[in-house]
Amino acid sequence: MKSPYRAILTLMDRLSPKMRQRLYRWKTALTRYRFFTGLHPQIDPQLRVLGDCAYESLGDDPKLAVDLKPSRRPRGPVRARLLGAAAAGTAHPILYIAANDTGGEAEGVPLPPLAETGTPWATVSLPLSAVHLRLDPIDRPGQFHLSRLELTSLNPRDRLVRLAKKKGWSQLCHILGGADWAFSWTIGGDLAPTDDGAYKSTGSDPFFLLYPLDDLIFGDAERLPADAAPARLMPSGWVRARIDAVSDVALRPELYIDSGDGFGATPPRRLAADATGAEALIWLPRGIRRLRLDPFEGAGRIHLQAVTLTPCVAPLLSSFKNVLLRRQEWAPSRFVFDQRADLAWQPAGGLQAAGPDQWISRVLDPYFHVVPRANLAFGVDAEGRVDHPQAAAFPAGWVTLHVDAEAALGDLRPELYIDTGGGFAAHPAILIDIDAARGLGALFWLPRGIQRMRFDPLAGIGTFTLRRLTLTALSHAAAARRLFGRYGFSPPAPKAHAPLSHPVGLEVLIDLEHRLTPLPVTRDDSRPATVNVLLPTLDASIVFGGYIAIFNFIVKLRDWGYRTRIV
């Protein structure tokens, strides 16, 4: 009896070549069909084969040929990723398509960073003339390991996520689990790779060119910043930008966009740096052609690990144009989603910059104007106002404030002032518990319609460090947990007090009664008059001016004929 597998093979052999081709197309459209690939070392003086999938790069441009099974060649959009690891740092491979087997007129796309696990998939649109593929696995000298190059077709879910991103359906992307936009990059200027997988600045304006892994186009790796770029799939609207990077200098990342008029047509989006990179909520327009990341200015080294943009559901649903009853706190998203806004600050009174994140207060009432960091792209005047229809509004309702700051003398006493149209004096100051702000966040209520906000870090003269301010509008569920306890929605039961074992008030009362009780003395008019000198102590080791004075006074009393007595 034949096995089912052998029976299927026998049936396939009886089918005509045309029917086999149809079945192949259906399989590649309905499943993630895996294409057979192999890596074949070319005669390259920059590449040495060490055996067991290990190689050594002797330069900055080693090459490998990609072998494909002739009858099963990929066409159109496919998923691609390269599995492996570099001996030091992270390698950024580039996949090239060549017009002929000699490698002439090749154009490449940057693949995700080389890693053994957790490597994201890149979507590459292979043209119909894709005959010869070439792989540049690493961009520097050093040893590395290559497991395999994986190429698969797109299944219906992949195609639906791709369509949702193209149409801007962020909610559908969240439901399907494909909301994140991962990016690859190439060095665009004033940067050079190092032997340990990092990049060092060689000028005053280092930057990376970013490419979405969902829509890599051949030629991205060779396209210069001044070249025209085609329109492509890019996120738009409110997105959360996240950069994972390690640098030996202070990160001051800025994201530049080009919608067809160049990178200088719009101001950059600034990101707030933290211990592992930088993050911010920013607004992106439609029709972005290119993205550019400037990590810092001047000299320095950076190890860029990942760049991710995630469209945000909560800001889109809680905008003033899409809320129920025109009230932001009744937006559907506020029931389940927190809305976080990273704040940017600019000195407004009595503050002077003293270095990266360092400030000096020279007056008794220093303060910053603070705005959502996304509003920096629209411009902020000297009074902290933003007048733009797409500007991010300040959160309202129950919010928490997280403060990453410290003072040289530990005298941080932050206050928050708000202006809803009548000036900062119209509302009392919100006192911030610095211990809570450094932990779970300081909890307080904000009204609707805030136009300006002011942050007073300390009251007085001093030096302090301010790294981050984050204002989070809590969802109704999160606010209930913070207000009514961590478990359930009922207020926590009052704690039972221990029995009164040390009645301090009674002790005070007894002491007062003792002090007011008349002394048990008997008057004796027959005794000569005596002056009693009351001293708390008599200690020869601490005799100084005060004791000398009272002793001289006693001697003088005796000279005048008075009897004296020391008590």
Side-chain angles (χ1 to χ4, degrees):
M1 181 177 180
K2 294 183 179 180
S3 65
Y5 178 73
R6 298 182 68 87
I8 293 176
L9 291 179
T10 303
L11 179 62
M12 292 292 294
D13 292 337
R14 295 177 180 177
L15 295 177
S16 64
K18 189 174 182 179
M19 182 58 69
R20 293 180 189 177
Q21 186 67 20
R22 287 183 178 179
L23 290 177
Y24 166 70
R25 291 178 180 176
W26 292 341
K27 185 175 182 180
T28 56
L30 298 177
T31 63
R32 285 177 178 162
Y33 183 84
R34 182 176 177 179
F35 299 97
F36 175 80
T37 62
L39 300 177
H40 178 68
Q42 292 181 329
I43 301 176
D44 188 352
Q46 296 191 20
L47 185 64
R48 178 185 299 172
V49 180
L50 302 180
D52 196 17
C53 299
Y55 303 88
E56 181 178 4
S57 172
L58 304 179
D60 56 1
D61 192 22
K63 302 177 180 63
L64 287 168
V66 179
D67 296 332
L68 295 173
K69 190 174 181 179
S71 60
R72 295 292 184 265
R73 303 189 68 85
R75 296 290 189 271
V78 297
R79 300 194 316 160
R81 69 175 178 179
L82 183 65
L83 300 182
T90 303
H92 287 270
I94 298 177
L95 183 65
Y96 284 91
I97 178 173
N100 50 56
D101 54 1
T102 61
E105 299 180 3
E107 293 183 335
V109 292
L111 292 181
L114 192 62
E116 289 287 356
T117 58
T119 303
W121 287 92
T123 304
V124 183
S125 294
L126 293 176
L128 296 179
S129 59
V131 178
H132 300 284
L133 295 179
R134 190 189 85 206
L135 176 68
D136 290 15
I138 196 169
D139 55 357
R140 65 179 189 277
Q143 296 184 2
F144 60 96
H145 178 270
L146 290 184
S147 299
R148 61 188 179 275
L149 174 65
E150 295 185 344
L151 291 177
T152 71
S153 61
L154 304 182
N155 64 5
R157 175 189 170 277
D158 299 330
R159 298 177 186 273
L160 186 57
V161 170
R162 185 178 174 85
L163 176 63
K165 289 186 174 181
K166 182 178 181 180
K167 298 295 184 180
W169 301 335
S170 302
Q171 293 84 353
L172 181 59
C173 291
H174 280 274
I175 295 174
L176 296 175
D180 293 339
W181 294 70
F183 283 78
S184 186
W185 57 87
T186 58
I187 51 178
D190 290 347
L191 282 175
T194 62
D195 294 339
D196 58 353
Y199 299 94
K200 65 178 179 180
S201 173
T202 59
S204 60
D205 188 22
F207 63 90
F208 297 92
L209 294 176
L210 304 180
Y211 307 99
L213 293 182
D214 291 298
D215 189 29
L216 288 176
I217 299 175
F218 276 98
D220 282 339
E222 289 75 23
R223 187 170 290 114
L224 298 177
D227 292 342
R232 61 199 311 162
L233 293 179
M234 287 280 191
S236 61
W238 292 111
V239 300
R240 187 166 303 281
R242 176 65 197 173
I243 297 173
D244 295 324
V246 179
S247 175
D248 61 352
V249 297
L251 286 175
R252 295 184 179 276
E254 295 179 336
L255 196 65
Y256 288 82
I257 64 173
D258 176 16
S259 300
D261 300 325
F263 288 119
T266 57
R269 277 66 171 164
R270 303 177 186 175
L271 281 70
D274 55 28
T276 59
E279 186 177 349
L281 182 68
I282 61 177
W283 171 270
L284 294 179
R286 289 184 176 272
I288 296 177
R289 297 176 180 270
R290 295 182 301 165
L291 284 176
R292 175 181 133 183
L293 173 65
D294 292 26
F296 47 76
E297 294 182 358
R301 287 166 52 92
I302 182 173
H303 188 181
L304 187 59
Q305 299 168 344
V307 179
T308 307
L309 299 182
T310 305
C312 296
V313 175
L316 292 175
L317 292 179
S318 60
S319 63
F320 286 105
K321 297 180 181 179
N322 301 302
V323 298
L324 299 178
L325 305 178
R326 294 291 180 180
R327 291 179 64 90
Q328 185 181 10
E329 57 267 28
W330 290 108
S333 61
R334 284 299 298 271
F335 286 91
V336 292
F337 292 105
D338 293 343
Q339 179 180 344
R340 190 175 69 178
D342 291 322
L343 301 180
W345 52 89
Q346 55 185 15
L351 289 169
Q352 178 181 348
D357 303 326
Q358 299 285 334
W359 298 90
I360 298 177
S361 169
R362 300 191 180 279
V363 297
L364 297 180
D365 189 22
Y367 63 92
F368 296 97
H369 285 308
V370 295
V371 295
R373 189 167 294 275
N375 291 342
L376 293 177
F378 308 128
V380 183
D381 61 16
E383 298 298 325
R385 292 186 176 89
V386 182
D387 186 13
H388 196 278
Q390 293 175 340
F394 286 100
W398 287 108
V399 300
T400 57
L401 179 68
H402 291 83
V403 179
D404 185 3
E406 57 188 16
L409 300 178
D411 53 355
L412 282 179
R413 292 188 294 273
E415 298 176 343
L416 204 63
Y417 290 83
I418 60 175
D419 176 17
T420 56
F424 288 118
H427 297 271
I430 302 174
L431 303 180
I432 305 300
D433 185 352
I434 188 60
D435 294 331
R438 288 169 174 164
L440 295 177
L443 179 68
F444 50 89
W445 173 272
L446 287 181
R448 292 187 299 126
I450 297 178
Q451 300 178 5
R452 292 188 302 162
M453 188 172 289
R454 175 181 135 182
F455 180 73
D456 295 22
L458 70 169
I461 299 173
T463 303
F464 64 96
T465 302
L466 181 59
R467 302 184 186 90
R468 191 167 189 175
L469 290 174
T470 302
L471 196 61
T472 304
L474 298 180
S475 65
H476 300 324
R481 288 195 299 268
R482 288 292 300 267
L483 291 173
F484 302 120
R486 300 180 63 180
Y487 306 103
F489 292 92
S490 59
K495 296 181 179 180
H497 293 284
L500 192 61
S501 59
H502 193 69
V504 179
L506 295 179
E507 291 183 354
V508 174
L509 179 61
I510 294 174
D511 183 66
L512 290 175
E513 291 179 353
H514 175 72
R515 291 173 182 269
L516 296 177
T517 301
L519 295 176
V521 297
T522 303
R523 180 184 179 89
D524 187 1
D525 294 333
S526 61
R527 293 190 59 184
T530 303
V531 178
N532 295 320
V533 180
L534 178 62
L535 297 178
T537 58
L538 273 179
D539 190 348
S541 62
I542 58 172
V543 173
F544 50 91
Y547 281 107
I548 298 299
I550 194 64
F551 291 153
N552 289 333
F553 180 64
I554 293 174
V555 171
K556 194 63 175 178
L557 289 174
R558 294 181 64 85
D559 292 342
W560 290 342
Y562 291 100
R563 294 170 57 90
T564 58
R565 181 172 58 179
I566 297 177
V567 178

